[in-house]
Amino acid sequence: MASRDKGDGGIVETIKTVFWALVIAIGFRSVFFQPFWIPSESMKDTLLIGDFLFVNKMAYGYSRYSCEIPFTTISLCPFEDRFLGSEPERGDVVVFRHPTAGTDYIKRLIGLPGDRIQMQNGVLFINGVEAPQTPDGVFEEIYEAQGPMRNRPRCENGAVGEGGICKKSRSIETLPGGRSHHVLNIDANGPGDNTDVFTVPPGHYFVMGDNRDNSTDSRFSQATGGVGYLPAQYLIGRADRVMFSSAGRSLFYVWTWRPDRFFKAIE
């Protein structure tokens, strides 16, 4: 009987250990760092399909969207407005909840409250000042199905066919304040290359993808499937570093790993 009691006690202790380990893991994921897998090419070549990163949720504070329990809509922070937060900086790569689609997006934060944003012939203007672009060669990749969604890239050099080299012109864009990053170009006159002037309202931000001709972002209204002006409470966190990267359909396809992107800083 004593042996049975000891065995039953061991099982109970194991269950307790597993339970508290799960609670700690869920709390850590909900409050501190959220894993994020890049599914699309909107942020190339800063982020590639198959890049895996952790989102720093402490960077901008918390709202109901940034502390949800994994795989639920239950939030540990049932507040509409952010708290314990600091303001994001222009040029940050941010993850946010799309206000109408309800899914998580990743883009670069371009406009702060009160900024005037406009695209002219593919060039970004902030408050009437050009964000200069310096040519920086060509971004090349193989034209093939990419990632779990099996998307194929868009190419500036036309229909290259399966296995061909897909090219996009690459430039270094410098934002006010001096932060620089790569941007890609596909179309000479894409739908987001020439816009009206957007004035960012108080409490909102303006986000864009680095792959400028293949990004649904703040240049397009929510009514047309875009992001529009992003309310501050929808921010989830900042992406700082790629931890792992796989070019294949699954991370278990070892031969598709990209070791040169492991622990790569996001600029």
Side-chain angles (χ1 to χ4, degrees), residues 68-164:
E68 287 183 346
I69 296 174
F71 311 112
T72 76
T73 57
I74 301 171
S75 179
L76 300 179
C77 311
F79 310 103
E80 286 298 329
D81 295 327
R82 291 188 326 173
F83 69 101
L84 297 178
S86 59
E87 291 300 313
E89 296 181 6
R90 193 193 319 278
D92 286 355
V93 175
V94 300
V95 172
F96 58 91
R97 180 66 46 81
H98 190 287
T100 56
T103 54
D104 293 346
Y105 278 35
I106 186 165
K107 305 289 181 187
R108 189 175 299 277
L109 195 146
I110 296 296
L112 302 171
D115 281 346
R116 291 175 288 108
I117 308 295
Q118 185 178 28
M119 294 293 292
Q120 297 181 20
N121 299 317
V123 177
L124 172 66
F125 284 78
I126 301 177
N127 297 322
V129 178
E130 177 182 345
Q133 293 184 8
T134 304
D136 190 44
V138 175
F139 173 70
E140 296 184 351
E141 58 186 335
I142 298 174
Y143 184 82
E144 61 183 356
Q146 299 180 347
M149 298 175 65
R150 313 310 291 156
N151 293 331
R152 285 175 168 76
R154 291 182 59 205
C155 312
E156 186 181 9
N157 54 327
V160 298
E162 194 74 13

Side-chain angles (χ1 to χ4, degrees), residues 36-53 106 139-141 146-148 153 168 170 182 184 210-211 242 244-248 256-258 260-261 264 266:
F36 192 88
W37 192 276
I38 302 299
S40 73
E41 62 175 319
S42 69
M43 282 295 293
K44 288 180 178 175
D45 67 343
T46 302
L47 296 171
L48 305 181
I49 293 175
D51 281 351
F52 177 82
L53 50 90
I106 186 165
F139 173 70
E140 296 184 351
E141 58 186 335
Q146 299 180 347
K168 301 176 182 68
R170 179 172 56 198
H182 281 147
L184 301 182
D210 291 348
N211 191 0
V242 175
F244 174 85
S245 186
S246 173
T256 67
W257 288 2
R258 306 181 182 111
D260 61 315
R261 296 189 65 78
K264 180 180 176 62
I266 298 172

Side-chain angles (χ1 to χ4, degrees), residues 165-183:
I165 301 300
C166 178
K167 299 181 179 181
K168 301 176 182 68
S169 297
R170 179 172 56 198
S171 299
I172 298 174
E173 180 177 81
T174 302
L175 300 174
R179 294 182 68 173
S180 298
H181 57 272
H182 281 147
V183 293

